[in-house]
Amino acid sequence: MIAIGLFFALPVIAALLLSLTDFDIYALANLDNLRFVGLQNYERLMTNPLFWGAMKNTLTFAVLGVPLSIAASLAAAVILNARVVKWRPIWRVMFFAPYVTTLVATAVVWRYLLHTRYGVINWGLESIGLPAVDWLGDPSTSIPAILMFVVWKIFGYNMLIFLAVLQTVPDDLYEAARIDGAGPWKQFRHVTLPAIAPTMLLVSIISVASFFQLFAEPYVMTQGGPAQSTVTVLYFMYEEGFKWWNLGSASAVAFVLFLCILAITLVQLAVAKRVGAYQ
């Protein structure tokens, strides 16, 4: 409890108080320049088009990325849970390896993979007669390009969670379903999904929080471009705090982001409770 108080509670309270001030580079030089401004930082955010653009980009990342990452994780877990698959430990290591590799290093590698002229992905497209795509230089393809990288990077973590819960589903349920004439899809729909529903809720909450906090991926791959199409809320907060030194405004962004994640989490819990995913 002492550790939580020192390293979590106190910094959060300090950041909340900071968001009610005009703490900037001048206040860093002399605290006499620090003024209490109340909710002015929050009011400025509500009228800042750059903030709303970052919020739109973040929502796009979350709406597209959360289902994709969960689907990829669950598909990999179901495949690796099948007894017919050989060398399952090797496949688990291969699928989980991207998650534990250094994010910046893998992001740099993906920048080369997505390069317009000599990237492997465009080479593959051109080899089948399709035109090359300017993945990271076109606002219409920059978010899908980063999403490909993010899903590849994180799906192994959720895969392990799904794999663990799939191994707890009794074989008797599958046997009973097979006797009743259920095929693989019906077994998955009526046996697997209900059994893993609470875990699905957990993974969805974790995934939403992760996608709302995207920063390093667009920072390394596109620096927020092109045309600010990949600037996320966390990226916007970073620029406010450490590029322009508006630390009070950056703290306000952090709390707005917290409220957004909290609201979506509460909605997820309400929907899950309504459909019976948890009690």
Side-chain angles (χ1 to χ4, degrees):
M1 294 300 294
I2 293 174
I4 292 174
L6 286 175
F7 300 109
F8 179 75
L10 287 180
V12 168
I13 295 172
L16 178 59
L17 295 176
L18 202 65
S19 71
L20 304 176
T21 69
D22 63 346
F23 197 96
D24 56 13
I25 193 169
Y26 299 104
L28 280 172
N30 186 355
L31 285 178
D32 293 336
N33 296 321
L34 180 65
R35 296 178 303 167
F36 178 81
V37 297
L39 298 177
Q40 288 184 21
N41 287 325
Y42 296 92
E43 293 172 359
R44 291 194 196 98
L45 283 181
M46 296 302 104
T47 58
N48 189 339
L50 296 178
F51 171 75
W52 289 111
M55 183 65 74
K56 177 184 175 183
N57 295 336
T58 302
L59 287 173
T60 303
F61 275 117
V63 169
L64 298 177
V66 171
L68 282 174
S69 63
I70 292 177
S73 304
L74 184 56
V78 170
I79 292 172
L80 292 184
N81 192 52
R83 290 189 175 89
V84 295
V85 176
K86 297 181 179 180
W87 306 308
R88 283 187 289 179
I90 297 177
W91 289 111
R92 291 174 191 169
V93 172
M94 291 177 61
F95 287 158
F96 187 68
Y99 182 78
V100 297
T101 52
T102 304
L103 192 150
V104 174
T106 52
V108 171
V109 171
W110 271 79
R111 282 185 63 185
Y112 284 100
L113 292 176
L114 295 165
H115 196 276
T116 306
R117 288 190 300 172
Y118 48 80
V120 174
I121 294 178
N122 275 333
W123 174 82
L125 292 176
E126 292 177 336
S127 66
I128 59 176
L130 296 176
V133 178
D134 187 6
W135 292 103
L136 299 177
D138 188 340
S140 64
T141 57
S142 55
I143 287 182
I146 293 178
L147 277 176
M148 283 193 295
F149 166 64
V150 174
V151 171
W152 170 84
K153 183 76 172 65
I154 69 172
F155 90 99
Y157 178 77
N158 292 335
M159 178 201 72
L160 286 187
I161 297 176
F162 282 130
L163 190 58
V165 71
L166 285 173
Q167 292 175 351
T168 66
V169 181
D171 291 335
D172 296 344
L173 296 178
Y174 292 108
E175 183 64 27
R178 282 192 292 269
I179 293 173
D180 289 338
W185 169 246
K186 287 188 175 181
Q187 290 178 38
F188 176 77
R189 180 182 175 186
H190 297 290
V191 177
T192 304
L193 285 182
I196 68 171
T199 303
M200 184 82 75
L201 173 63
L202 170 65
V203 170
S204 66
I205 291 174
I206 294 174
S207 299
V208 167
S210 298
F211 275 93
F212 263 82
Q213 297 179 77
L214 281 184
F215 167 72
E217 294 86 348
Y219 180 78
V220 175
M221 298 182 72
T222 62
Q223 292 77 49
Q228 296 185 325
S229 61
T230 58
V231 172
T232 62
V233 174
L234 211 60
Y235 192 102
F236 178 81
M237 182 185 72
Y238 163 79
E239 289 199 327
E240 282 289 298
F242 300 103
K243 183 177 181 180
W244 309 117
W245 291 102
N246 296 321
L247 298 176
S249 177
S251 298
V253 175
F255 275 91
V256 171
L257 180 61
F258 163 74
L259 292 176
C260 291
I261 295 175
L262 177 62
I264 294 176
T265 301
L266 292 176
V267 171
Q268 288 177 286
L269 291 173
V271 172
K273 190 172 184 179
R274 189 176 184 86
V275 299
Y278 86 108
Q279 300 299 324

